[in-house]
Amino acid sequence: MPQAPLPEFSSSVKLKYVKLGYQYLVNHFLSLLLIPIMAVIAVELLRMGPEEILNVWNSLHFDLVQVLCSSFFVIFISTVYFMSKPRTVYLVDYSCYKPPVTCRVPFATFMEHSRLILKDKPKSVEFQMRILERSGLGEETCLPPAIHYIPPTPTMEEARSEAQMVIFTAMDDLFKKTGLMPKDIDILIVNCSLFSPTPSLSAMVINKYKLRSNIKSFNLSGMGCSAGLISVDLARDLLQVHPNSNAIIVSTEIITPNYYKGNERAMLLPNCLFRMGSAAILMSNRRSDRWRAKYKLCHLVRTHRGADDKSYYCVYEQEDKEGNIGINLSKDLMAIAGEALKANITTIGPLVLPASEQLLFLTSLIGRKIFNPKWKPYIPDFKLAFEHFCIHAGGRAVIDELQKNLQLSGEHVEASRMTLHRFGNTSSSSLWYELSYIEAKGRMRRGDRVWQIAFGSGFKCNSAVWKCNRTIKTTNDGPWSDCIDRYPVFIPEVVKL
């Protein structure tokens, strides 16, 4: 049989090295320009004898008044610069809640409960089964105890019980990791989108740990899965005006009161995807925390598309025809998320991309505006700006879409896919489970840059950029401690139930 011709690799290899050479030339332009100048100066100095150099130095006349004025000016400018420079904000450490095995919901259990709860609605049961088969979730995701009852008991008491379980466990673990005492907390921010009792969840934390009476506490609700990064943004702003302070952020979503018992398909989706989880994060602006902190916050960009009606209504809490409350997820959700991501990238790109990528993007933009609008837009290579990506594990379609649009490899989205598989969509805390996965795999090195991307109702796209402060060693604790050796796992397109 005639053998098929081998593909021509030489042209692609040459193109690769041309691109690498271009990137190096643009990114190091100033260095390449200064090196020859410095070399010429050094050669000239070597050619001159000691006496000639001494004569040149003696020929220079310094006026004492000019020297003092110049020194004062330099000191004044330096003082203004350092006083106006934003305080560096560190992520000292964080902790993710690990649900007990008694809360696990294997596929068989979930479908059995669905059949019993929706026994008069077989089409809804079949729809949930199809969603679960393609969801990317595994057999070990967890739901709170109230949802395990038949029928579920979404009472206020059960919801508070879940909140206490996930929040206090995460905070206790954080205190143990960091050695922080409750009295040392200066700022407390709790975000939970759908459960907003009175007193608030932040008040519940203050009561539990007997925090100081002058603590600055905030409770964010209704801000969706991107609320975790909104809390980080709020903490950063507060740490700019309150020196030598600690800030605790608690990100969670309480599942108990939000289980939908109706028949609307668009409102049944959250039942299949959302699972219990929580994360507690310690941020600080103290210089003494610089050496022990895991990360330094570099950038945080928020994009809000709420002015557009489609974006506003694409994730909407409402009642169905029978009066059952649930979250309606629009069919246009992925398209709207893509537009929000595009707007967010436009803002964050110039802050993080190397000069070579910015130049190519600018050239492409000018070419499309002036010469031919049909030119394919240049997609910047964000892999040159970041070593790690934490994409909100909102669902398989979300991860697929971002991997395609950002041209990422399977390894870049591994943390997101494995988090979705092991823990499900834990809402605003999912980004921290993903970061924990990367650390548990021993991949986080000093100087590595991490890009966290989250989407939320409204519609919002928020992203944060962190720089690793020190190489992080793998530990025996954390949410992945008992299963990290099994991951990554192969996730089929469809799991037949």
Side-chain angles (χ1 to χ4, degrees), residues 25-76:
L25 178 64
V26 175
N27 296 338
H28 300 85
F29 178 75
L30 287 177
S31 300
L32 295 172
L33 185 66
L34 289 173
I35 287 173
I37 296 173
M38 297 298 293
V40 170
I41 294 172
V43 169
E44 287 297 320
L45 288 174
L46 290 173
R47 288 175 58 186
M48 296 172 66
E51 292 183 0
E52 291 178 280
I53 296 174
L54 188 61
N55 290 333
V56 171
W57 176 259
N58 291 331
S59 66
L60 297 174
H61 298 284
F62 296 103
D63 184 11
L64 181 61
V65 176
Q66 290 180 348
V67 171
L68 290 175
C69 289
S70 301
S71 301
F72 175 78
F73 181 74
V74 170
I75 294 170
F76 176 75

Side-chain angles (χ1 to χ4, degrees), residues 2 12 120 144 323 327 339 360-361 414 475:
S12 61
D120 299 327
I327 305 297
E339 290 299 317
L360 286 172
F361 180 76
E414 181 184 310
T475 59

